[in-house]
Amino acid sequence: FNLTEFSSKPKELKRENEKNTLTIKFLKDTVSFVDDKKNKYGPFKKGETAEIPLDYAKILLNRGVAIKDENA
């Protein structure tokens, strides 16, 4: 058999250690919430920063509750 068949370039795979969180800064007081894995986040005060799961961070950003923390 020919070994060159097995030396093709590896497929790009999502790394398990890839960061799936985002650090955000809260623009207003925000109540606590629970993610789908039952992890609790908050409550948060205006001006506080937190690293939270990306999906939830996007929701808070879209609702104008928080902004991306550029210092993180």
Side-chain angles (χ1 to χ4, degrees), residues 14 17 19-20 27 30 33 39 42 44 54 58 64 69:
K14 185 176 180 183
N17 64 348
K19 214 171 185 189
N20 288 321
L27 299 175
T30 306
F33 62 91
N39 297 311
F44 301 101
L54 187 58
K58 286 180 181 178
D69 184 10

Side-chain angles (χ1 to χ4, degrees), residues 1-8:
F1 66 79
N2 185 349
L3 286 177
T4 57
E5 293 174 34
F6 299 101
S7 64
S8 63

Side-chain angles (χ1 to χ4, degrees), residues 22-26 44 48-52 69:
L22 182 66
T23 302
I24 58 174
K25 182 176 182 178
F26 288 86
F44 301 101
E48 235 181 309
T49 60
E51 186 175 345
I52 62 171
D69 184 10

Side-chain angles (χ1 to χ4, degrees), residues 38-67:
K38 303 206 186 314
N39 297 311
K40 182 182 175 190
Y41 299 90
F44 301 101
K45 296 283 184 189
K46 179 181 178 179
E48 235 181 309
T49 60
E51 186 175 345
I52 62 171
L54 187 58
D55 291 342
Y56 295 93
K58 286 180 181 178
I59 292 169
L60 295 168
L61 295 172
N62 289 335
R63 291 185 178 174
V65 174
I67 58 172

